[in-house]
Amino acid sequence: DTGVSQDPRHKITKRGQNVTFRCDPISEHNRLYWYRQTLGQGPEFLTYFQNEAQLEKSRLLSDRFSAERPKGSFSTLEIQRTEQGDSAMYLCASSLGLAGQKTDYEQYFGPGTRLTVT
Amino acid sequence: KNQVEQSPQSLIILEGKNCTLQCNYTVSPFSNLRWYKQDTGRGPVSLTIMTFSENTKSNGRYTATLDADTKQSSLHITASQLSDSASYICVVSDKAGGTSYGKLTFGQGTILTVHP
């Protein structure tokens, strides 16, 4: 257990439905990351927060995806109008990080949320 | 485009044997290289992290090497155990430009299966 938790662990939904995932990072970590991992592939970066500010978004994050971290603690990732291609493992990670510093701190991953769109 | 390639894609070994996994990368500018272990259905867990100046780093039965000139890394597992069965992912971080975050580029992983 890395200290990063995600909820739910598994989600099955029908195409066209909206889903929301939650990530609770390690409490003292101010950086939070979302990744997507499809079967047999490594994780792909989706987006990154420094405290409550969303500093970077991947081109993978289409208009149907939105992520928030309103109080700089937990984060949510919402997918609207799900498609079968959205089926994947959604991983959250957190790390320390000081604004303006380029120091690269260790990222700790949560167990992931497995999404299946039928 | 930054890329990380791993080989082999999968590997089957007998318990107690050693094995070596390979990683080649084209990430620039390079910051550090990490090896993660990912059990099925779980998130990745860090094994080692190496910066440009480090050639080798060990974590128990895991030893990682880095050749920054040839942009290659290897992960050597000694005296394998059944619990070593997992996917091993090579991850390279670049040096951030305008942001303070070094973006991670993940390899596709090597699936290791250890048989009794």
Side-chain angles (χ1 to χ4, degrees):
Chain A
D1 183 3
T2 62
V4 179
S5 61
Q6 292 186 244
D7 183 68
R9 294 293 308 279
H10 303 274
K11 178 71 178 179
I12 300 173
T13 190
K14 292 185 178 179
R15 187 163 51 99
Q17 298 294 304
N18 299 343
V19 293
T20 300
F21 310 141
R22 176 180 170 125
C23 171
D24 286 90
I26 294 172
S27 58
E28 60 266 30
H29 286 182
N30 56 347
R31 291 184 180 172
L32 187 146
Y33 316 80
W34 284 99
Y35 295 89
R36 183 172 70 185
Q37 185 177 25
T38 53
L39 205 60
Q41 299 298 315
E44 295 173 293
F45 171 77
L46 292 178
T47 189
Y48 147 64
F49 290 85
Q50 172 95 16
N51 299 312
E52 67 276 6
Q54 188 174 20
L55 296 187
E56 190 170 347
K57 292 194 293 185
S58 161
R59 290 172 300 168
L60 294 174
L61 215 65
S62 74
D63 291 344
R64 297 184 297 105
F65 287 71
S66 63
E68 294 183 343
R69 194 183 183 200
K71 297 180 180 178
S73 55
F74 73 92
S75 175
T76 57
L77 177 68
E78 181 184 15
I79 308 174
Q80 296 182 326
R81 305 181 302 281
T82 53
E83 302 172 355
Q84 287 187 320
D86 296 332
S87 295
M89 171 82 88
Y90 290 84
L91 291 164
C92 172
S94 71
S95 75
L96 291 170
L98 298 176
Q101 285 197 3
K102 298 184 179 179
T103 305
D104 207 5
Y105 291 91
E106 183 63 65
Q107 291 187 25
Y108 294 84
F109 284 82
T113 293
R114 168 74 64 190
L115 173 66
T116 303
V117 182
T118 62
Chain B
K1 179 183 176 184
N2 289 341
Q3 285 190 312
V4 176
E5 299 286 338
Q6 292 186 242
S7 62
Q9 280 192 323
S10 62
L11 182 62
I12 299 174
I13 62 173
L14 293 176
E15 186 179 13
K17 298 297 186 181
N18 304 337
C19 66
T20 301
L21 315 180
Q22 301 291 343
C23 172
N24 297 326
Y25 63 91
T26 55
V27 174
S28 182
F30 175 87
S31 177
N32 58 68
L33 185 145
R34 312 154 188 228
W35 282 93
Y36 282 87
K37 178 186 178 186
Q38 185 174 25
D39 293 315
T40 302
R42 310 287 296 181
V45 175
S46 178
L47 295 175
T48 64
I49 178 170
M50 289 182 291
T51 59
F52 185 88
S53 59
E54 294 175 296
N55 300 119
T56 184
K57 183 164 280 191
S58 292
N59 177 2
R61 295 180 297 103
Y62 301 102
T63 300
T65 65
L66 173 64
D67 186 333
D69 292 331
T70 61
K71 299 186 177 181
Q72 295 180 325
S73 176
S74 66
L75 179 69
H76 186 74
I77 304 174
T78 304
S80 60
Q81 300 175 358
L82 298 179
S83 60
D84 292 333
S85 294
S87 177
Y88 291 84
I89 305 175
C90 176
V91 185
V92 181
S93 174
D94 64 23
K95 284 185 178 173
T99 72
S100 58
Y101 162 59
K103 187 172 295 181
L104 301 184
T105 302
F106 291 76
Q108 81 278 18
T110 292
I111 299 173
L112 175 66
T113 304
V114 181
H115 283 163

